[in-house]
Amino acid sequence: MRTFRFAHATIFLSLLLPLLFAHAASAQTQDDNILPVTEAYKLGTDANTPGTLKLHWTIAPDYYLYRGRMKFTAGPGVTLGEAQLPPGEKHDDPYLGPVETYHHGVDASLPYTVAPGTTRLRVDVQYQGCHEVEPKICYPPHTEHLDLPLPADAAPSSATGNGLGNALQQLGGGVPAGTQSAPLPPEQAFRFTAVAQDPQHLLLRWTMPKDYYVYRDHIALRLKDAGGLKLGAPAWPAGGVVHQDAQLGPVTVYFGDLELPVAIEGDTAGHHRLTLEASFLGCQDGGVCYPLMTRDVTVDLQGGAAANGGAAPGAPTATSTGDASNIAAASPAGPLQTSLFTALLLALGGGLILNLMPCVLPVLSLKAVGLLESGESPARRRRHALAYTAGVLASFAALGLGILVLRSAGHALGWGTQLQQPLLVAVLACVIFALGLSMSGVVQFGATLGNVGGTLANRGGAAGDFFTGVLAVVVASPCTAPFMGSALAYAFAAPALDALLVFLALGVGLALPFLAVAFIPALARWLPKPGRWMETLKQVLAFPMYLTAAWLAWVLANQRGADAVGLLLVAMVLLALVLWWFERSRGRGPLRYVLTAALALAVLAPLYLLAHMPAATAGTIAAQQGTVPYSAAKLAELRAADTPVFVDMTADWCITCKANEHAVLDGAAFRAALERAGAVYMKGDWTNEDPAITAFLQRYHSPGVPLYVVFPKGGGAGRQLPTVLTTTLVERALAEAAR
C-alpha cells in the first residue's frame, strides 16, 4: 500500500500555496522456500462433458486449500449452478474459526448452462490456501480466468427441469426476449441457510448465482412453535441496490450473497432448536420472477443449521463475517426490557452528568462567559439559556433522526462514531482552535464569546448561543456519562418516537444547569459581577480549547499517522493566518474580503489531502504488552480452552475509555487481578471502523464504546460491566469469572 510522506509545506502571504509530497514505494519480498501460488495449487480443467466443468487441484506437500474460500464466477453467456465439492478435513483455524481444508488434491464439478450463440466457456475460479510449516504464510485470494472451448454437442439447454415453466411467473408477463440464460430451479437459484451466532442471535444467508436477486421488503420471517419467542427487526446490511421494478417501482434488492443478522426476543434458555420459516420473492435479472418461496430451517441454538432444500451434501454452513458462531455466551437482556419512563430518567441524568465530562467542559466555558457577560439582567440570562438550549435540543433531535434513518436502511451506527472519520476530526480540531484564538483576543466574532462563527455574529447573541449548543453536542459525542449507556441502548432499539424522546431528554439534561441559573433567581445571585477580570478569564479559558485541539490531533495520529498530523498543523497555521488577517483588515474595503476568501480556500488544501490518506497500517493496541487484539475467533479459542477473558472495547476518541484506562485498567491492581483469575485481557480498537467490533457491540446492545464484558471459565454467559469502572468492581468481576 502506498503511504503519504509529509515532506514540506511553505506558506506565502499570497494566493500561491505550494505543498510538495513524496510517495514512498513499498517493497515486497518473498521467501525462497515458498512456491508460487499456481505451483502450490496446480489447477487442471476438463470441459468435455456437456453442462459440467470438472476441476482438479494438485496440492503440493505442506500446503492446503480452504473449502469455504472457493468461489466461481460466470463469464458472458454462462450461468453456473451450485459447485459440487467433497467434504474437507475439519479443524479450528486460529483466524477463521471452524473450517474445512483440502490436502494433496481435490476434485470439483461445476454445472453450467450457456446462452444461444455462446462458443466459449469463461469462468473465474478463486481460491485461497496456506503453507502449514515454517515459514507459515497464507496466500491472498487468487483468481484464475478460464477460457475454454465448449464441447461440440453442448447446445444451450435449460437447467430448470420438467414443468418449471408452468411454475414460474414473471411479474410483468412471460420471459422477455434476449434473456441471457434459462432460469435455474428455485432451489439452485436461491440457497437459504441459517446459523445461530449465539442463543439470542441468528444469521440468515441467501446465496444466489450471478444475475439473481431477492427483494428486501418481500422477505418475511417467523419462528414456528417457539413458545412465545419472536424475531426482532432484521439488521439489513449495506449493499442493497435500488432497482426499478416494472410492477413495484423503485425497490431495494440484493444480488449475490445476502447475510442478514436477526435477534431473538425472549428467553431462549429452555430451547435447543428452533424452526424458522422464511418467505421471500426473487428474480433473474432480465428474466423471470419466481412465485413466493417459503423455506423452513431448523436451527441449533448452540451453533449450526439444517436447511430445507437446495443444500448440497457437505456444503458449509453460513457464518458471520468477522464473527464466530461457537462463542458459548448468551447475550444480556435486551434494551427494550427497560421502560420508556426509566429510559427518560436515565437520559436526563446522563445528560446532566455529561456537563462534568472533560470533553464538554471546554465548550461550556464559552457559555459560562456568556452568562457572566449578561450581568444582572434576568432577561439577558434567559435569552442566553433558551438559545443555547434550542441549539442543544436541535442537535440531539437531528442526531436521533439521522440514526433512525440509517437504522431503517440497515446501517449500524454508534454513539460517537462520527469521530471515526479523520476529516471530521480534523475539521473539529480547526473549529476548536479557532474558538481558542477568539478567546485569546486574536479575532472577535461578535459582541460576546457566545457568538460563534463570523457570519453568525451579525445575527445577534441568540445565534451565537444556539451554535454554542450545537458545538457542545458535537464535542460531547466521545464521552459517555453514567446512566447514558442504558438510555442510548434503549434509544438505538426503541420505536422511532420513543427514541427521539430519549435523545431530547439527553439534551434537556445537558442544558439543565444553564436553564436553572437563568430561571431561578436564587442561583443567579451566585454569579459574580462583571468586571475587567472577565477579559483575563476569557484568555485563561482559551487554553482548554487548545488542549482539546491537541487531543483531536492525537486521535488523528492514531487514525492516519504522523503525516496527517502534519497536514492538520498546516491547516491550523493557515486558519490562524486567515483569522489574523480578518481582524487586521477591518474597515479596509471590499478587497479584504477577496484576500480573506482566498486564504480561507487555502485552508482546504491540506484538509483535502488528509481526507484521501490511507488508514494507518499498524494499530496501537497490538503493540501493547499484556493485551490480545480482539477477534471473534481468538475469543472463541480462549473460551474453548476454559480461560476467563476480560474484553475491553475502546477507541482513542472515547474520553470515558481513556479515563477508565488511567484510573483502573492501566493500574497494577488490575494486572494483579488478571493474574489471580488466570484471565486474558483482550482489547478491541474502534478508533476506525471495524465490522467485527460493531457486531460485538450490537450483540450486547451497546450504542458505542466503552463496552466491558467479562467471560467466565466454564462457558457461562458474559457479564457486561458499567461504562464507568472502579477497581473494586473489576476485581470482583474477575474473581467471579475465575470460579
Side-chain angles (χ1 to χ4, degrees):
M1 180 184 296
R2 295 187 308 164
T3 61
F4 283 79
R5 182 170 299 230
F6 180 73
H8 187 66
T10 304
I11 307 173
F12 293 99
L13 299 180
S14 65
L15 298 179
L16 296 180
L17 180 69
L19 293 174
L20 302 178
F21 290 90
H23 295 274
S26 59
Q28 283 187 321
T29 59
Q30 186 173 4
D31 195 293
D32 293 337
N33 296 325
I34 301 300
L35 295 173
V37 63
T38 53
E39 293 185 20
Y41 315 102
K42 295 180 179 179
L43 176 60
T45 62
D46 179 2
N48 294 323
T49 303
T52 302
L53 173 62
K54 297 180 180 179
L55 306 171
H56 175 77
W57 282 269
T58 301
I59 304 173
D62 300 325
Y63 291 79
Y64 62 86
L65 281 175
Y66 289 105
R67 184 183 191 275
R69 295 283 172 162
M70 291 183 174
K71 295 183 179 180
F72 308 93
T73 305
V78 179
T79 300
L80 298 178
E82 187 69 30
Q84 304 299 310
L85 293 164
E89 303 173 25
K90 297 182 179 180
H91 77 276
D92 194 11
D93 190 279
Y95 301 102
L96 302 177
V99 296
E100 296 181 46
T101 59
Y102 299 118
H103 290 78
H104 310 301
V106 60
D107 291 290
S109 296
L110 190 61
Y112 68 88
T113 58
V114 293
T118 303
T119 59
R120 306 286 296 181
L121 178 60
R122 295 180 175 90
V123 178
D124 289 347
V125 179
Q126 184 184 96
Y127 53 89
Q128 185 179 12
C130 299
H131 188 230
E132 60 186 349
V133 298
E134 295 297 338
K136 295 182 179 180
I137 65 100
C138 285
Y139 295 90
H142 176 73
T143 301
E144 295 199 29
H145 307 284
L146 305 182
D147 188 353
L148 307 172
L150 289 169
D153 54 349
S157 60
S158 170
T160 61
N162 294 332
L164 182 64
N166 295 328
L168 302 178
Q169 59 181 356
Q170 203 178 6
L171 291 179
V175 179
T179 298
Q180 292 298 308
S181 59
L184 295 170
E187 293 77 13
Q188 293 185 22
F190 305 94
R191 295 276 314 281
F192 176 68
T193 57
V195 68
Q197 296 178 284
D198 60 50
Q200 295 290 154
H201 294 81
L202 305 179
L203 182 72
L204 317 182
R205 184 176 186 179
W206 285 261
T207 304
M208 295 161 283
K210 181 182 178 182
D211 297 330
Y212 286 77
Y213 60 85
V214 292
Y215 293 89
R216 186 189 71 181
D217 297 331
H218 290 273
I219 293 177
L221 307 168
R222 73 180 185 95
L223 295 175
K224 300 174 68 175
D225 302 324
L229 299 178
K230 62 179 182 178
L231 296 175
W236 296 105
V241 177
V242 178
H243 179 74
Q244 187 64 37
D245 190 277
Q247 302 295 321
L248 304 176
V251 293
T252 300
V253 300
Y254 289 96
F255 286 84
D257 290 353
L258 166 60
E259 291 190 345
L260 182 62
V262 182
I264 302 175
E265 296 180 356
D267 186 5
T268 61
H271 299 267
H272 298 290
R273 291 176 177 269
L274 290 176
T275 300
L276 169 70
E277 181 185 272
S279 300
F280 52 92
L281 285 175
C283 296
Q284 178 190 26
D285 194 21
V288 299
C289 285
Y290 292 72
L292 182 68
M293 293 167 278
T294 301
R295 308 277 176 84
D296 284 352
V297 176
T298 301
V299 183
D300 181 357
L301 293 185
Q302 300 305 315
N308 179 24
T317 304
T319 57
S320 173
T321 303
D323 204 354
S325 62
N326 57 347
I327 298 177
S331 293
L336 292 183
Q337 293 187 2
T338 301
S339 68
L340 174 61
F341 180 74
T342 302
L344 292 175
L345 287 180
L346 292 171
L348 183 66
L352 184 62
I353 298 175
L354 198 60
N355 286 279
L356 304 177
M357 304 303 288
C359 49
V360 186
L361 283 174
V363 175
L364 294 188
S365 63
L366 287 172
K367 201 72 237 102
V369 171
L371 284 177
L372 290 172
E373 286 187 336
S374 65
E376 296 181 315
S377 168
R380 292 189 65 187
R381 282 198 299 270
R382 288 194 291 270
R383 286 198 298 269
H384 274 292
L386 289 175
Y388 171 77
T389 302
V392 169
L393 294 180
S395 301
F396 269 111
L399 181 61
L401 287 172
I403 288 172
L404 291 173
V405 170
L406 290 173
R407 190 178 74 183
S408 65
H411 297 282
L413 191 68
W415 181 253
T417 52
Q418 65 269 27
L419 292 185
Q420 291 178 339
Q421 308 304 321
L423 180 59
L424 181 58
V425 173
V427 170
L428 188 57
C430 289
V431 170
I432 296 292
F433 178 65
L435 291 174
L437 292 177
S438 172
M439 299 179 76
S440 295
V442 174
V443 63
Q444 295 296 324
F445 287 136
T448 69
L449 280 173
N451 287 330
V452 182
T455 58
L456 296 174
N458 295 328
R459 302 180 188 177
D465 290 328
F466 180 90
F467 283 96
T468 303
V470 172
L471 185 61
V473 175
V474 172
V475 299
S477 61
C479 287
T480 304
F483 312 130
M484 277 185 63
S486 298
L488 286 172
Y490 179 93
F492 276 65
L497 180 59
D498 292 358
L500 282 177
L501 290 175
V502 170
F503 277 101
L504 290 176
L506 279 168
V508 171
L510 183 61
L512 193 57
F514 294 103
L515 288 172
V517 170
F519 285 88
I520 301 177
L523 294 176
R525 285 195 292 268
W526 286 59
L527 293 176
K529 295 184 180 298
R532 295 181 58 184
W533 60 271
M534 289 184 55
E535 185 62 31
T536 302
L537 178 62
K538 290 181 185 180
Q539 296 176 9
V540 170
L541 291 177
F543 292 97
M545 293 291 184
Y546 297 138
L547 287 175
T548 302
W551 162 68
L552 289 167
W554 175 78
V555 171
L556 187 63
N558 289 329
Q559 291 177 324
R560 292 297 184 266
D563 289 349
V565 176
L567 289 169
L568 175 61
L569 293 176
V570 170
M572 285 181 165
V573 171
L574 291 173
L575 180 60
L577 175 63
V578 172
L579 297 177
W580 171 81
W581 172 253
F582 177 78
E583 188 68 22
R584 179 90 173 170
S585 61
R586 287 185 185 272
R588 295 192 180 184
L591 184 60
R592 68 182 280 262
Y593 295 106
V594 176
L595 185 54
T596 300
L599 291 173
L601 288 175
V603 178
L604 300 179
L607 295 178
Y608 173 82
L609 294 173
L610 188 151
H612 291 80
M613 292 186 69
T617 56
T620 57
I621 285 182
Q624 295 180 6
Q625 294 184 353
T627 64
V628 175
Y630 171 78
S631 76
K634 183 63 176 178
L635 177 58
E637 177 185 331
L638 291 170
R639 302 222 65 205
D642 211 25
T643 303
V645 185
F646 184 94
V647 176
D648 171 10
M649 293 302 181
T650 183
D652 288 333
W653 40 260
C654 171
I655 297 295
T656 309
C657 305
K658 298 305 173 186
N660 286 332
E661 290 173 9
H662 176 74
V664 178
L665 301 179
D666 291 341
F670 173 66
R671 297 292 176 178
L674 284 172
E675 186 174 350
R676 288 194 301 270
V680 170
Y681 183 21
M682 177 174 283
K683 294 184 74 173
D685 187 358
W686 212 40
T687 302
N688 294 299
E689 297 179 34
D690 189 318
I693 294 177
T694 301
F696 188 90
L697 295 174
Q698 290 175 336
R699 174 175 297 176
Y700 284 89
H701 311 295
S702 176
V705 291
L707 171 64
Y708 307 103
V709 182
V710 181
F711 292 94
K713 64 188 299 185
R719 175 187 173 187
Q720 185 173 346
L721 302 183
T723 54
V724 179
L725 299 179
T726 65
T727 301
T728 302
L729 173 69
V730 173
E731 288 178 342
R732 185 183 301 118
L734 287 171
E736 293 175 355
R739 293 173 185 170

